[in-house]
Amino acid sequence: FYTYSFSITEGRGHLLVITCPSPTLTSPKTPSSNSRTRREPSRDSATFAFSREPEGRPSPLSRESPRSTTSRRSADTSRSEMERNHFISFLLLRLLLSLITSTWFVPDELFQSAEPAHSLIFGSGHLSWEWTRGLRSPLHALILSIPLYMIKMISFDTPFTVFYLPRLLHSTLFLLSDIAFSSLTYRFLPTQKARNIVLCMYASNWFINYCSPRTLGNSLETCFTLLSLTQYPFTSRECSSKCKSVPLCIFLATLSIILRPTSALLWIVLGLRLLWIAPDPLSLVFSRVLPSMLPTLFISTLLDSWWYGRWLSSLYEFLSFNVLEGGSVHFGVHPLYWYFVDGLPAVFTLSLIPILYGAFGRLSSRPPNVILSACLFYLLVHTFLPHKEHRFILPIVPLLLLYSSPLFVHPSKLSSFLFNLTIVTNIVLTLYMSLIHQRGPFAIGQSILSRSTPSDSLLILAPCYSLPGHSFFHSSIGDIYALDCSPPLNGSTILDEADAFHSDPIGWVERKGRSLDVYSFIVVYEKMWRVLEETLGDTFAPCHKEFHAHFLVSSRQDHYIILLCKVMS
């Protein structure tokens, strides 16, 4: 779905409709690339779309000399056309990814979002232990419940629509992130060439494309973060002239914190910077910040209390469990250096090289240092948290990509090669991760959908949350039972059900005895079927085998998943 071309003679490349100027030894002589002529002005954008400053008023971040009204109008027209191209490109990209992504990432993409929404609207859906403890805000589930409620009202709720409509909604919301990011490139980068380079890095980044169509809270957190930054005043001049945008900025930032409380780490730095540059910090806090933040938090608390049926704040519960009680260790402990040797290199691949150069090299200009400082603080605190995942750093991926252009703006053979290799690498990874890696859960789920009836039941003898739930199968199957792996919240040392099964699978099945006969289907990994074949072989037989992954993320997984169907006696 990417169209990427490179031409030595023209010195341009194309990623969808976004022009990607590859850093070649020669470049076309245009006003934007000829530094000895006039430079294109950097115009501020203060809204989600691309609204500009009043005519004749240059951006505070721009260092270019004033231009004539005719030149400004011509630049505005050119920018409007470019923005339309960006919007169409990102719209097609997000919609396409939402339809073709057929792989499994993490359980949270369904069980912390679409599954609770399905439970709310249709009355069926597994609620994990976090929802009984009150660690999750219902905001995300309520957003996804909107399309589900609509299709329920018109009796159009099929497994296909129930699964894909929340994805399409998520992709549409992430499109706002794309628009906001494009707006930030106009705000911070001085030339169109630099903007196009950064936009290509962003549009091709495999991890952004991998996460954007999934109903992950991290994706929505990233969306609200980028939107809020379009309203953030980065200079004292902006703060004095644009403080009217601060309430909207704070409102969106608060939403991102409600969804993922760790998002507050970014806003600690950005908030302190805002107070530092504000002419009257006290007035700003009481007239702009608190009137926007406090009502949002109050409404969030009301939603939490309504959802859980008791007075509580999911923000407090989340911080209390993960930070004060150290509960995150139940999900795995990683070394301090994990983000630096695994997290960042895996997420950015080769684009980490130009990012480091643009962020720390001796350059005459770069995006505001406060963005880099906020990202480093966010990363530093996450380094000291015991449990680490790639998706936790998704909100800072677009922000760090803003620093990726300087290495390619002044071209050389090496930088030209690196640029093209980076784009190609990310495109290949996007396709592989979205279509092949861990495709087993959804592929085996499609096989179950083609065989099941509402009276059938499913048993999943695999690591917990290895398969989607009712938000995927909807009403096509009755009962779904998966091994429980809730952490021992009361300090118990008893193995959870998933650990007990994998430590002695034959003993576990024998203890269950004839109670397993009530299930119509059983899902196991291939190596587990080889262990249980003699025990289950009289009642169940393989009826479908599906490839899962080349590279396994757990020792309990295997390269193939087996669907066992009940043998008719």
Side-chain angles (χ1 to χ4, degrees), residues 384-419:
F384 289 97
L385 298 178
H387 180 62
K388 301 173 178 65
E389 293 186 37
H390 296 95
R391 62 189 176 98
F392 292 167
I393 58 175
L394 179 62
I396 67 173
V397 172
L399 303 182
L400 290 176
L401 286 172
L402 288 169
Y403 296 87
S404 63
S405 66
L407 185 62
F408 304 124
V409 169
H410 304 290
S412 68
K413 287 184 177 180
L414 182 59
S415 64
S416 175
F417 174 76
L418 178 61
F419 178 85

Side-chain angles (χ1 to χ4, degrees), residues 305-381:
S305 303
W306 166 76
W307 180 277
Y308 292 104
R310 63 185 189 276
W311 284 101
L312 62 79
S313 168
S314 59
L315 273 174
Y316 172 78
E317 296 293 336
F318 180 92
L319 294 174
S320 174
F321 177 80
N322 287 285
V323 179
L324 301 181
E325 301 176 22
S328 63
V329 298
H330 295 297
F331 310 110
V333 178
H334 301 80
L336 288 175
Y337 53 81
W338 187 85
Y339 280 118
F340 301 100
V341 300
D342 189 320
L344 291 175
V347 166
F348 287 108
T349 64
L350 295 175
S351 58
L352 189 60
I353 299 173
I355 288 173
L356 291 175
Y357 177 80
F360 301 106
R362 294 183 178 180
L363 305 173
S364 58
S365 65
R366 60 167 58 93
N369 287 330
V370 65
I371 294 180
L372 180 60
S373 300
C375 292
L376 292 177
F377 180 73
Y378 183 92
L379 193 61
L380 178 64
V381 175

Side-chain angles (χ1 to χ4, degrees), residues 212-227:
S212 62
R214 303 176 190 273
T215 51
L216 278 170
N218 309 87
S219 301
L220 207 54
E221 172 197 6
T222 303
C223 174
F224 286 132
T225 298
L226 289 175
L227 289 174

Side-chain angles (χ1 to χ4, degrees), residues 258-501:
I258 291 171
L259 285 169
R260 294 285 305 175
T262 51
S263 184
L265 297 172
L266 286 173
W267 290 100
I268 289 175
V269 177
L270 293 169
L272 292 175
R273 170 65 178 173
L274 182 59
L275 294 178
W276 179 262
I277 64 176
D280 188 351
L282 201 60
S283 175
L284 179 69
V285 169
F286 286 98
S287 65
R288 302 289 184 187
V289 176
L290 292 181
S292 178
M293 181 176 63
L294 292 181
T296 307
L297 291 176
F298 178 71
I299 293 174
S300 171
T301 303
L302 291 180
L303 285 177
D304 292 339
S305 303
W306 166 76
W307 180 277
Y308 292 104
R310 63 185 189 276
W311 284 101
L312 62 79
S313 168
S314 59
L315 273 174
Y316 172 78
E317 296 293 336
F318 180 92
L319 294 174
S320 174
F321 177 80
N322 287 285
V323 179
L324 301 181
E325 301 176 22
S328 63
V329 298
H330 295 297
F331 310 110
V333 178
H334 301 80
L336 288 175
Y337 53 81
W338 187 85
Y339 280 118
F340 301 100
V341 300
D342 189 320
L344 291 175
V347 166
F348 287 108
T349 64
L350 295 175
S351 58
L352 189 60
I353 299 173
I355 288 173
L356 291 175
Y357 177 80
F360 301 106
R362 294 183 178 180
L363 305 173
S364 58
S365 65
R366 60 167 58 93
N369 287 330
V370 65
I371 294 180
L372 180 60
S373 300
C375 292
L376 292 177
F377 180 73
Y378 183 92
L379 193 61
L380 178 64
V381 175
H382 274 76
T383 296
F384 289 97
L385 298 178
H387 180 62
K388 301 173 178 65
E389 293 186 37
H390 296 95
R391 62 189 176 98
F392 292 167
I393 58 175
L394 179 62
I396 67 173
V397 172
L399 303 182
L400 290 176
L401 286 172
L402 288 169
Y403 296 87
S404 63
S405 66
L407 185 62
F408 304 124
V409 169
H410 304 290
S412 68
K413 287 184 177 180
L414 182 59
S415 64
S416 175
F417 174 76
L418 178 61
F419 178 85
N420 287 278
L421 184 61
T422 301
I423 299 296
V424 171
T425 299
N426 277 279
I427 292 174
V428 171
L429 280 174
T430 298
L431 292 173
Y432 179 79
M433 298 297 290
S434 299
L435 297 173
I436 300 175
H437 180 63
Q438 295 196 140
R439 65 183 302 271
F442 289 122
I444 209 75
Q446 289 292 341
S447 178
I448 296 172
L449 282 174
S450 66
R451 304 166 187 269
S452 63
T453 65
S455 61
D456 288 333
S457 56
L458 170 65
L459 172 63
I460 305 171
L461 295 181
C464 55
Y465 303 113
S466 291
L467 248 66
H470 289 278
S471 57
F472 178 83
F473 294 105
H474 189 41
S475 58
S476 64
I477 198 166
D479 182 45
I480 301 175
Y481 186 85
L483 299 175
D484 180 64
C485 59
S486 301
L489 302 180
N490 55 1
S492 172
T493 58
I494 299 176
L495 292 177
D496 62 48
E497 189 177 23
D499 289 338
F501 169 77

Side-chain angles (χ1 to χ4, degrees), residues 81-233:
E81 292 176 355
M82 190 69 70
E83 290 167 353
R84 282 195 296 270
N85 289 340
H86 294 168
F87 174 80
I88 295 172
S89 300
F90 282 122
L91 174 63
L92 295 175
L93 176 62
R94 298 305 167 209
L95 291 179
L96 183 60
L97 286 171
S98 67
L99 294 175
I100 70 169
T101 299
S102 55
T103 56
W104 184 265
F105 181 19
V106 289
D108 282 16
E109 66 182 284
L110 290 179
F111 289 98
Q112 303 297 347
S113 54
E115 195 75 3
H118 191 278
S119 176
L120 176 66
I121 301 301
F122 297 104
S124 61
H126 173 75
L127 296 180
S128 63
W129 67 270
E130 293 99 329
W131 292 93
T132 59
R133 176 68 187 263
L135 302 183
R136 304 296 184 187
S137 168
L139 177 61
H140 194 186
L142 290 174
I143 293 173
L144 297 182
S145 68
I146 296 173
L148 297 182
Y149 180 78
M150 294 173 63
I151 60 175
K152 179 184 179 181
M153 289 296 98
I154 60 175
S155 300
F156 193 56
D157 51 310
T158 66
F160 180 86
T161 57
V162 165
F163 178 69
Y164 278 101
L165 276 182
R167 276 198 168 190
L168 288 171
L169 175 60
H170 237 257
S171 297
T172 304
L173 291 174
F174 206 87
L175 178 63
L176 299 179
S177 304
D178 303 329
I179 298 172
F181 183 82
S182 180
S183 177
L184 292 176
T185 64
Y186 275 91
R187 196 170 180 183
F188 300 141
L189 304 177
T191 66
Q192 188 60 50
K193 184 176 182 180
R195 296 169 199 140
N196 288 339
I197 290 171
V198 169
L199 284 169
C200 282
M201 290 290 181
Y202 172 85
S204 64
N205 182 269
W206 79 269
F207 193 64
I208 292 176
N209 293 332
Y210 185 59
C211 295
S212 62
R214 303 176 190 273
T215 51
L216 278 170
N218 309 87
S219 301
L220 207 54
E221 172 197 6
T222 303
C223 174
F224 286 132
T225 298
L226 289 175
L227 289 174
S228 61
L229 287 177
T230 64
Q231 308 300 302
Y232 182 85

